[in-house]
Amino acid sequence: MVEREMGGSTDNCNHSGDTEPPKSPEDESSERPEAQCTQDLKSVLITSVLNLEKLDVDLYRGTHHWVPRSQRLFGGQIVGQALVAAAASVSDNLYAHSLHCYFVRAGDPKVPVLYQVDRTRDGRSFTVRSVRAIQHGQPILICQASFHMLQPSPLQHQFTMPVVPQPEDLLTVEELIHRYLSKPDLAKKSRQGLNKLLANEVPIEIKPVHPPHFYRLSAVELRKLFWVRARGYIGEGNMKLHCCVAAYVSDYAFLGTALLPHPNYRAQFSASLDHAMWFHNTFRSDEWMLYECESPWAGGSRGLVQGRLWRRDGVLAASCSQEGVLRVKPVTEPSKL
Ligand SMILES: CCCCCCCC(=O)SCCNC(=O)CCNC(=O)[C@H](O)C(C)(C)COP(=O)(O)OP(=O)(O)OC[C@H]1O[C@@H](n2cnc3c(N)ncnc32)[C@H](O)[C@@H]1OP(=O)(O)O
């Protein structure tokens, strides 16, 4: 299992340049109370999705947990697993600070994925790994990941975290769906669609900040905000793993942000073309983080989305960017949610 290869509980994500990585409130308030009773409910992301089998030096195999209705592998899974493979040969004093990848073929959920790692460069401060995710002898993803040693600097700044309700004051996607399903006049097609959503075993918990925008595409705000965390317990320590979980999480409900300004269209064919992430500070992917997503541009059957993952204490944990192919068709009947 690559986790043991990666040197277990090391702290391997970039910090903002402090000598001591900033602690998130949850770290300070010791373990999340419920985590004590859910230690045995270890996140399936850790026990299965990001738990690669080592086949040979720099060659790993990953399996699938949840597959979207499109029946092409979820992009976040491939990116997260590629980062696990890349990090396995990187020493403990280096932290993942960025990754850039292209999705070049659809992933086949019927076969596992092989991850072939190339040790591109081991520099003095930076180390780079290139990963090919392979199925049926062909790459489905090509990825470069870069790792940096801790190098403090007086040069620090960040945007300000949006002011939103706390997760404790919001409903999960599942709770919202049950609320919509309780509407007696709900259209049959909507009821079927929502029940399919409920049946998904997505290993991520989500609390939308503006539920109607989340489900009913209205062009009121061109931004999507939701609280997100991995289901189950991961615990402190291995920041490398938290970066891999964040890579998984960052691709969920991301590309759809580009549809927000166009409530009269829905996706006919959509898929992520690339995905880039920058890790700025330590964070806990099994604690609530605010995901702020926006789309600065769409055109030519493509859409660009950008995201910022915020810790609850206002520290910017990570930034993401993705372009996807978006072929759309007009919405014939308005949403009846
Ligand atoms: C809004 C909801 C957002 C959901 C986002 C989901 C996020 C994800 O995780 S997606 C998973 C990760 N990403 C991927 O798997 C993408 C992998 N890459 C690929 O599959 C390929 O590179 C791809 C398809 C993007 C481009 O390949 P390419 O050979 O150029 O195919 P392309 O010409 O675009 O045709 C692709 C499909 O669109 C159809 N198509 C092509 N042109 C058009 C057109 N003008 N109008 C309509 N359909 C078209 C094709 O018929 C084809 O359909 P099918 O696969 O059923 O035959």
Side-chain angles (χ1 to χ4, degrees), residues 68 70 72-76 78 102-107 140 251 253-257 259 267-273 301 322 325-327:
S70 62
R72 55 178 53 223
L73 285 187
F74 171 52
I78 317 168
Y102 279 96
F103 299 102
V104 294
R105 287 181 180 80
I140 60 170
D251 185 32
F254 196 21
L255 185 56
T257 312
L259 290 174
Q268 178 182 27
F269 176 86
S270 62
S272 314
L273 291 166
S301 297
Q322 174 178 123
V325 56
L326 269 179
R327 294 181 179 124

mmCIF file of all heavy atoms in Angstrom, residues 68 70 72-76 78 102-107 140 251 253-257 259 267-273 301 322 325-327, ligand 1:
data_model
loop_
_atom_site.group_PDB
_atom_site.id
_atom_site.type_symbol
_atom_site.label_atom_id
_atom_site.label_comp_id
_atom_site.label_asym_id
_atom_site.label_seq_id
_atom_site.Cartn_x
_atom_site.Cartn_y
_atom_site.Cartn_z
ATOM 1 N N PRO A 68 -19.453 8.355 -11.835
ATOM 2 C CA PRO A 68 -20.598 9.193 -12.229
ATOM 3 C C PRO A 68 -21.499 8.491 -13.255
ATOM 4 O O PRO A 68 -21.117 7.488 -13.851
ATOM 5 C CB PRO A 68 -19.938 10.422 -12.876
ATOM 6 C CG PRO A 68 -18.504 10.385 -12.503
ATOM 7 C CD PRO A 68 -18.167 8.968 -12.215
ATOM 8 N N SER A 70 -22.161 9.286 -16.046
ATOM 9 C CA SER A 70 -21.615 9.296 -17.425
ATOM 10 C C SER A 70 -20.881 7.990 -17.730
ATOM 11 O O SER A 70 -20.505 7.715 -18.851
ATOM 12 C CB SER A 70 -20.624 10.460 -17.553
ATOM 13 O OG SER A 70 -19.550 10.239 -16.625
ATOM 14 N N ARG A 72 -17.962 7.430 -17.224
ATOM 15 C CA ARG A 72 -16.524 7.628 -17.433
ATOM 16 C C ARG A 72 -15.953 7.915 -16.050
ATOM 17 O O ARG A 72 -16.631 8.499 -15.204
ATOM 18 C CB ARG A 72 -16.230 8.754 -18.412
ATOM 19 C CG ARG A 72 -16.862 10.074 -18.067
ATOM 20 C CD ARG A 72 -16.520 11.202 -19.019
ATOM 21 N NE ARG A 72 -16.756 10.944 -20.409
ATOM 22 C CZ ARG A 72 -15.878 11.300 -21.350
ATOM 23 N NH1 ARG A 72 -14.744 11.864 -21.030
ATOM 24 N NH2 ARG A 72 -16.127 11.074 -22.602
ATOM 25 N N LEU A 73 -14.712 7.473 -15.795
ATOM 26 C CA LEU A 73 -14.174 7.621 -14.437
ATOM 27 C C LEU A 73 -14.220 9.072 -13.985
ATOM 28 O O LEU A 73 -13.979 9.991 -14.793
ATOM 29 C CB LEU A 73 -12.732 7.109 -14.397
ATOM 30 C CG LEU A 73 -12.545 5.586 -14.425
ATOM 31 C CD1 LEU A 73 -11.078 5.240 -14.212
ATOM 32 C CD2 LEU A 73 -13.409 4.894 -13.377
ATOM 33 N N PHE A 74 -14.526 9.298 -12.726
ATOM 34 C CA PHE A 74 -14.567 10.637 -12.149
ATOM 35 C C PHE A 74 -13.154 11.225 -12.195
ATOM 36 O O PHE A 74 -12.194 10.594 -11.726
ATOM 37 C CB PHE A 74 -15.083 10.533 -10.707
ATOM 38 C CG PHE A 74 -14.981 11.793 -9.906
ATOM 39 C CD1 PHE A 74 -15.489 12.990 -10.397
ATOM 40 C CD2 PHE A 74 -14.362 11.792 -8.664
ATOM 41 C CE1 PHE A 74 -15.399 14.166 -9.653
ATOM 42 C CE2 PHE A 74 -14.268 12.951 -7.923
ATOM 43 C CZ PHE A 74 -14.792 14.139 -8.409
ATOM 44 N N GLY A 75 -13.058 12.422 -12.775
ATOM 45 C CA GLY A 75 -11.733 13.035 -12.951
ATOM 46 C C GLY A 75 -10.989 13.211 -11.636
ATOM 47 O O GLY A 75 -9.788 12.950 -11.537
ATOM 48 N N GLY A 76 -11.735 13.581 -10.581
ATOM 49 C CA GLY A 76 -11.082 13.811 -9.287
ATOM 50 C C GLY A 76 -10.408 12.564 -8.752
ATOM 51 O O GLY A 76 -9.350 12.635 -8.108
ATOM 52 N N ILE A 78 -8.983 10.175 -10.590
ATOM 53 C CA ILE A 78 -7.743 9.923 -11.343
ATOM 54 C C ILE A 78 -6.654 10.911 -10.903
ATOM 55 O O ILE A 78 -5.496 10.540 -10.708
ATOM 56 C CB ILE A 78 -7.983 10.029 -12.864
ATOM 57 C CG1 ILE A 78 -9.284 9.340 -13.267
ATOM 58 C CG2 ILE A 78 -6.841 9.396 -13.642
ATOM 59 C CD1 ILE A 78 -9.747 9.627 -14.674
ATOM 60 N N TYR A 102 -3.905 16.828 -17.785
ATOM 61 C CA TYR A 102 -4.857 16.786 -18.894
ATOM 62 C C TYR A 102 -5.550 15.429 -18.864
ATOM 63 O O TYR A 102 -4.893 14.397 -18.662
ATOM 64 C CB TYR A 102 -4.138 16.932 -20.242
ATOM 65 C CG TYR A 102 -3.820 18.374 -20.588
ATOM 66 C CD1 TYR A 102 -2.567 18.913 -20.300
ATOM 67 C CD2 TYR A 102 -4.780 19.196 -21.168
ATOM 68 C CE1 TYR A 102 -2.284 20.239 -20.596
ATOM 69 C CE2 TYR A 102 -4.498 20.519 -21.467
ATOM 70 C CZ TYR A 102 -3.250 21.035 -21.178
ATOM 71 O OH TYR A 102 -2.975 22.351 -21.460
ATOM 72 N N PHE A 103 -6.843 15.472 -19.063
ATOM 73 C CA PHE A 103 -7.615 14.234 -19.218
ATOM 74 C C PHE A 103 -7.682 13.940 -20.719
ATOM 75 O O PHE A 103 -8.360 14.652 -21.462
ATOM 76 C CB PHE A 103 -9.035 14.421 -18.682
ATOM 77 C CG PHE A 103 -9.098 14.767 -17.218
ATOM 78 C CD1 PHE A 103 -9.330 16.076 -16.811
ATOM 79 C CD2 PHE A 103 -8.934 13.790 -16.250
ATOM 80 C CE1 PHE A 103 -9.391 16.412 -15.455
ATOM 81 C CE2 PHE A 103 -9.002 14.112 -14.886
ATOM 82 C CZ PHE A 103 -9.221 15.422 -14.495
ATOM 83 N N VAL A 104 -6.946 12.939 -21.191
ATOM 84 C CA VAL A 104 -6.824 12.771 -22.651
ATOM 85 C C VAL A 104 -7.746 11.681 -23.210
ATOM 86 O O VAL A 104 -8.008 11.646 -24.406
ATOM 87 C CB VAL A 104 -5.363 12.488 -23.054
ATOM 88 C CG1 VAL A 104 -4.500 13.711 -22.758
ATOM 89 C CG2 VAL A 104 -4.827 11.262 -22.333
ATOM 90 N N ARG A 105 -8.233 10.796 -22.318
ATOM 91 C CA ARG A 105 -9.220 9.799 -22.758
ATOM 92 C C ARG A 105 -10.176 9.531 -21.593
ATOM 93 O O ARG A 105 -9.795 9.708 -20.435
ATOM 94 C CB ARG A 105 -8.538 8.465 -23.140
ATOM 95 C CG ARG A 105 -7.760 8.477 -24.434
ATOM 96 C CD ARG A 105 -7.162 7.098 -24.725
ATOM 97 N NE ARG A 105 -6.411 7.094 -25.987
ATOM 98 C CZ ARG A 105 -5.161 7.568 -26.099
ATOM 99 N NH1 ARG A 105 -4.536 8.083 -25.033
ATOM 100 N NH2 ARG A 105 -4.524 7.549 -27.277
ATOM 101 N N ALA A 106 -11.361 9.088 -21.891
ATOM 102 C CA ALA A 106 -12.313 8.746 -20.827
ATOM 103 C C ALA A 106 -11.778 7.520 -20.073
ATOM 104 O O ALA A 106 -11.242 6.586 -20.672
ATOM 105 C CB ALA A 106 -13.670 8.452 -21.443
ATOM 106 N N GLY A 107 -11.937 7.543 -18.734
ATOM 107 C CA GLY A 107 -11.528 6.374 -17.938
ATOM 108 C C GLY A 107 -12.600 5.300 -18.002
ATOM 109 O O GLY A 107 -13.787 5.605 -17.985
ATOM 110 N N ILE A 140 -4.893 7.802 -20.049
ATOM 111 C CA ILE A 140 -6.178 8.514 -19.918
ATOM 112 C C ILE A 140 -5.925 9.879 -19.273
ATOM 113 O O ILE A 140 -6.705 10.789 -19.410
ATOM 114 C CB ILE A 140 -7.208 7.706 -19.091
ATOM 115 C CG1 ILE A 140 -6.703 7.419 -17.676
ATOM 116 C CG2 ILE A 140 -7.600 6.420 -19.800
ATOM 117 C CD1 ILE A 140 -7.774 6.844 -16.746
ATOM 118 N N ASP A 251 -12.753 18.405 -7.917
ATOM 119 C CA ASP A 251 -13.330 18.211 -9.254
ATOM 120 C C ASP A 251 -14.824 17.935 -9.185
ATOM 121 O O ASP A 251 -15.501 17.839 -10.198
ATOM 122 C CB ASP A 251 -12.612 17.043 -9.961
ATOM 123 C CG ASP A 251 -13.090 16.878 -11.407
ATOM 124 O OD1 ASP A 251 -13.433 17.904 -12.019
ATOM 125 O OD2 ASP A 251 -13.169 15.736 -11.895
ATOM 126 N N ALA A 253 -18.612 18.729 -8.813
ATOM 127 C CA ALA A 253 -19.522 19.865 -9.005
ATOM 128 C C ALA A 253 -18.743 21.121 -9.411
ATOM 129 O O ALA A 253 -19.143 22.243 -9.092
ATOM 130 C CB ALA A 253 -20.333 20.151 -7.742
ATOM 131 N N PHE A 254 -17.622 20.940 -10.078
ATOM 132 C CA PHE A 254 -16.768 22.089 -10.430
ATOM 133 C C PHE A 254 -17.138 22.659 -11.797
ATOM 134 O O PHE A 254 -17.539 23.808 -11.919
ATOM 135 C CB PHE A 254 -15.303 21.615 -10.397
ATOM 136 C CG PHE A 254 -14.269 22.712 -10.363
ATOM 137 C CD1 PHE A 254 -14.576 24.016 -9.933
ATOM 138 C CD2 PHE A 254 -12.962 22.452 -10.761
ATOM 139 C CE1 PHE A 254 -13.610 25.010 -9.901
ATOM 140 C CE2 PHE A 254 -11.981 23.449 -10.730
ATOM 141 C CZ PHE A 254 -12.322 24.724 -10.300
ATOM 142 N N LEU A 255 -17.070 21.797 -12.847
ATOM 143 C CA LEU A 255 -17.285 22.283 -14.222
ATOM 144 C C LEU A 255 -18.683 22.854 -14.403
ATOM 145 O O LEU A 255 -18.908 23.796 -15.171
ATOM 146 C CB LEU A 255 -17.025 21.150 -15.222
ATOM 147 C CG LEU A 255 -17.087 21.513 -16.705
ATOM 148 C CD1 LEU A 255 -16.129 22.659 -17.040
ATOM 149 C CD2 LEU A 255 -16.752 20.280 -17.568
ATOM 150 N N GLY A 256 -19.649 22.311 -13.649
ATOM 151 C CA GLY A 256 -21.035 22.777 -13.760
ATOM 152 C C GLY A 256 -21.187 24.263 -13.433
ATOM 153 O O GLY A 256 -22.171 24.899 -13.813
ATOM 154 N N THR A 257 -20.185 24.837 -12.765
ATOM 155 C CA THR A 257 -20.235 26.270 -12.431
ATOM 156 C C THR A 257 -20.354 27.122 -13.706
ATOM 157 O O THR A 257 -20.956 28.193 -13.700
ATOM 158 C CB THR A 257 -18.946 26.677 -11.666
ATOM 159 O OG1 THR A 257 -18.717 25.735 -10.620
ATOM 160 C CG2 THR A 257 -19.058 28.082 -11.073
ATOM 161 N N LEU A 259 -22.157 26.605 -16.143
ATOM 162 C CA LEU A 259 -23.539 26.642 -16.655
ATOM 163 C C LEU A 259 -24.372 27.674 -15.907
ATOM 164 O O LEU A 259 -25.449 28.063 -16.368
ATOM 165 C CB LEU A 259 -24.184 25.265 -16.515
ATOM 166 C CG LEU A 259 -23.651 24.177 -17.448
ATOM 167 C CD1 LEU A 259 -24.276 22.831 -17.095
ATOM 168 C CD2 LEU A 259 -23.931 24.503 -18.909
ATOM 169 N N ALA A 267 -26.208 20.648 -20.038
ATOM 170 C CA ALA A 267 -25.105 19.960 -20.716
ATOM 171 C C ALA A 267 -25.639 18.772 -21.502
ATOM 172 O O ALA A 267 -26.418 17.977 -20.988
ATOM 173 C CB ALA A 267 -24.087 19.489 -19.680
ATOM 174 N N GLN A 268 -25.218 18.666 -22.750
ATOM 175 C CA GLN A 268 -25.532 17.479 -23.555
ATOM 176 C C GLN A 268 -24.316 16.551 -23.518
ATOM 177 O O GLN A 268 -24.412 15.359 -23.373
ATOM 178 C CB GLN A 268 -25.824 17.913 -24.999
ATOM 179 C CG GLN A 268 -26.118 16.765 -25.946
ATOM 180 C CD GLN A 268 -26.357 17.261 -27.369
ATOM 181 O OE1 GLN A 268 -25.841 18.323 -27.750
ATOM 182 N NE2 GLN A 268 -27.137 16.555 -28.134
ATOM 183 N N PHE A 269 -23.113 17.138 -23.622
ATOM 184 C CA PHE A 269 -21.871 16.380 -23.476
ATOM 185 C C PHE A 269 -20.885 17.289 -22.754
ATOM 186 O O PHE A 269 -20.656 18.419 -23.208
ATOM 187 C CB PHE A 269 -21.289 15.982 -24.835
ATOM 188 C CG PHE A 269 -19.953 15.272 -24.696
ATOM 189 C CD1 PHE A 269 -19.886 13.901 -24.486
ATOM 190 C CD2 PHE A 269 -18.757 15.992 -24.715
ATOM 191 C CE1 PHE A 269 -18.652 13.267 -24.328
ATOM 192 C CE2 PHE A 269 -17.525 15.367 -24.558
ATOM 193 C CZ PHE A 269 -17.477 13.985 -24.363
ATOM 194 N N SER A 270 -20.389 16.833 -21.617
ATOM 195 C CA SER A 270 -19.420 17.679 -20.893
ATOM 196 C C SER A 270 -18.367 16.775 -20.268
ATOM 197 O O SER A 270 -18.655 15.647 -19.873
ATOM 198 C CB SER A 270 -20.126 18.466 -19.809
ATOM 199 O OG SER A 270 -20.683 17.559 -18.905
ATOM 200 N N ALA A 271 -17.154 17.273 -20.223
ATOM 201 C CA ALA A 271 -16.071 16.504 -19.614
ATOM 202 C C ALA A 271 -14.917 17.459 -19.330
ATOM 203 O O ALA A 271 -14.674 18.392 -20.106
ATOM 204 C CB ALA A 271 -15.611 15.388 -20.542
ATOM 205 N N SER A 272 -14.217 17.190 -18.238
ATOM 206 C CA SER A 272 -13.063 18.030 -17.884
ATOM 207 C C SER A 272 -11.932 17.760 -18.867
ATOM 208 O O SER A 272 -11.626 16.599 -19.152
ATOM 209 C CB SER A 272 -12.577 17.685 -16.480
ATOM 210 O OG SER A 272 -13.680 17.591 -15.613
ATOM 211 N N LEU A 273 -11.334 18.813 -19.364
ATOM 212 C CA LEU A 273 -10.193 18.662 -20.278
ATOM 213 C C LEU A 273 -8.882 18.726 -19.503
ATOM 214 O O LEU A 273 -7.938 18.008 -19.791
ATOM 215 C CB LEU A 273 -10.222 19.803 -21.317
ATOM 216 C CG LEU A 273 -11.363 19.740 -22.326
ATOM 217 C CD1 LEU A 273 -11.494 21.062 -23.065
ATOM 218 C CD2 LEU A 273 -11.153 18.589 -23.306
ATOM 219 N N SER A 301 -17.684 25.993 -27.174
ATOM 220 C CA SER A 301 -17.984 24.665 -26.591
ATOM 221 C C SER A 301 -17.032 24.306 -25.455
ATOM 222 O O SER A 301 -16.781 23.132 -25.172
ATOM 223 C CB SER A 301 -17.911 23.554 -27.672
ATOM 224 O OG SER A 301 -18.888 23.794 -28.648
ATOM 225 N N GLN A 322 -9.839 24.791 -14.002
ATOM 226 C CA GLN A 322 -10.160 23.677 -14.908
ATOM 227 C C GLN A 322 -10.893 24.215 -16.140
ATOM 228 O O GLN A 322 -11.710 25.146 -16.026
ATOM 229 C CB GLN A 322 -11.070 22.674 -14.182
ATOM 230 C CG GLN A 322 -11.591 21.542 -15.054
ATOM 231 C CD GLN A 322 -12.443 20.545 -14.300
ATOM 232 O OE1 GLN A 322 -13.593 20.301 -14.653
ATOM 233 N NE2 GLN A 322 -11.916 19.962 -13.245
ATOM 234 N N VAL A 325 -14.938 20.629 -21.797
ATOM 235 C CA VAL A 325 -15.750 20.716 -23.017
ATOM 236 C C VAL A 325 -17.202 20.760 -22.559
ATOM 237 O O VAL A 325 -17.594 20.012 -21.660
ATOM 238 C CB VAL A 325 -15.466 19.523 -23.964
ATOM 239 C CG1 VAL A 325 -15.666 18.192 -23.305
ATOM 240 C CG2 VAL A 325 -16.317 19.623 -25.224
ATOM 241 N N LEU A 326 -17.950 21.725 -23.117
ATOM 242 C CA LEU A 326 -19.349 21.910 -22.691
ATOM 243 C C LEU A 326 -20.202 22.045 -23.950
ATOM 244 O O LEU A 326 -20.267 23.109 -24.572
ATOM 245 C CB LEU A 326 -19.476 23.190 -21.867
ATOM 246 C CG LEU A 326 -19.308 23.127 -20.359
ATOM 247 C CD1 LEU A 326 -19.447 24.520 -19.754
ATOM 248 C CD2 LEU A 326 -20.332 22.194 -19.709
ATOM 249 N N ARG A 327 -20.815 20.938 -24.347
ATOM 250 C CA ARG A 327 -21.747 21.006 -25.479
ATOM 251 C C ARG A 327 -23.145 20.972 -24.882
ATOM 252 O O ARG A 327 -23.465 20.083 -24.104
ATOM 253 C CB ARG A 327 -21.488 19.835 -26.430
ATOM 254 C CG ARG A 327 -20.120 19.977 -27.080
ATOM 255 C CD ARG A 327 -19.788 18.900 -28.039
ATOM 256 N NE ARG A 327 -18.484 19.134 -28.630
ATOM 257 C CZ ARG A 327 -17.468 18.263 -28.592
ATOM 258 N NH1 ARG A 327 -17.647 17.104 -27.998
ATOM 259 N NH2 ARG A 327 -16.300 18.550 -29.153
HETATM 260 C C1 LIG B 1 -22.179 20.140 -16.189
HETATM 261 C C2 LIG B 1 -21.736 18.743 -15.669
HETATM 262 C C3 LIG B 1 -20.219 18.682 -15.516
HETATM 263 C C4 LIG B 1 -19.758 17.224 -15.271
HETATM 264 C C5 LIG B 1 -18.249 17.234 -15.317
HETATM 265 C C6 LIG B 1 -17.641 15.851 -15.065
HETATM 266 C C7 LIG B 1 -16.190 16.025 -14.682
HETATM 267 C C8 LIG B 1 -15.431 14.772 -14.987
HETATM 268 O O1 LIG B 1 -14.975 14.165 -14.078
HETATM 269 S S1 LIG B 1 -15.249 14.225 -16.610
HETATM 270 C C9 LIG B 1 -14.050 12.972 -16.384
HETATM 271 C C10 LIG B 1 -12.679 13.480 -16.682
HETATM 272 N N1 LIG B 1 -12.540 13.933 -18.063
HETATM 273 C C11 LIG B 1 -12.613 13.062 -19.126
HETATM 274 O O2 LIG B 1 -12.917 11.887 -18.981
HETATM 275 C C12 LIG B 1 -12.331 13.605 -20.496
HETATM 276 C C13 LIG B 1 -11.297 12.681 -21.161
HETATM 277 N N2 LIG B 1 -11.029 13.152 -22.542
HETATM 278 C C14 LIG B 1 -11.824 12.722 -23.575
HETATM 279 O O3 LIG B 1 -12.738 11.929 -23.415
HETATM 280 C C15 LIG B 1 -11.498 13.268 -24.930
HETATM 281 O O4 LIG B 1 -10.242 13.963 -24.912
HETATM 282 C C16 LIG B 1 -12.591 14.291 -25.397
HETATM 283 C C17 LIG B 1 -13.945 13.567 -25.546
HETATM 284 C C18 LIG B 1 -12.711 15.420 -24.382
HETATM 285 C C19 LIG B 1 -12.194 14.845 -26.740
HETATM 286 O O5 LIG B 1 -11.920 13.741 -27.589
HETATM 287 P P1 LIG B 1 -12.236 13.861 -29.134
HETATM 288 O O6 LIG B 1 -11.748 12.636 -29.811
HETATM 289 O O7 LIG B 1 -11.779 15.169 -29.669
HETATM 290 O O8 LIG B 1 -13.816 13.730 -29.125
HETATM 291 P P2 LIG B 1 -14.937 14.788 -29.632
HETATM 292 O O9 LIG B 1 -14.790 15.083 -31.096
HETATM 293 O O10 LIG B 1 -14.964 15.937 -28.723
HETATM 294 O O11 LIG B 1 -16.238 13.905 -29.429
HETATM 295 C C20 LIG B 1 -16.567 13.544 -28.090
HETATM 296 C C21 LIG B 1 -18.038 13.263 -28.088
HETATM 297 O O12 LIG B 1 -18.766 14.466 -28.397
HETATM 298 C C22 LIG B 1 -19.540 14.248 -29.579
HETATM 299 N N3 LIG B 1 -19.426 15.475 -30.354
HETATM 300 C C23 LIG B 1 -18.368 15.891 -31.081
HETATM 301 N N4 LIG B 1 -18.656 17.092 -31.651
HETATM 302 C C24 LIG B 1 -19.912 17.400 -31.263
HETATM 303 C C25 LIG B 1 -20.775 18.502 -31.488
HETATM 304 N N5 LIG B 1 -20.389 19.536 -32.264
HETATM 305 N N6 LIG B 1 -22.011 18.489 -30.932
HETATM 306 C C26 LIG B 1 -22.373 17.448 -30.131
HETATM 307 N N7 LIG B 1 -21.623 16.382 -29.875
HETATM 308 C C27 LIG B 1 -20.410 16.367 -30.430
HETATM 309 C C28 LIG B 1 -18.895 13.080 -30.289
HETATM 310 O O13 LIG B 1 -19.863 12.414 -31.064
HETATM 311 C C29 LIG B 1 -18.431 12.236 -29.153
HETATM 312 O O14 LIG B 1 -19.531 11.526 -28.637
HETATM 313 P P3 LIG B 1 -19.335 9.965 -28.367
HETATM 314 O O15 LIG B 1 -18.180 9.861 -27.423
HETATM 315 O O16 LIG B 1 -20.647 9.528 -27.796
HETATM 316 O O17 LIG B 1 -19.011 9.390 -29.711
#
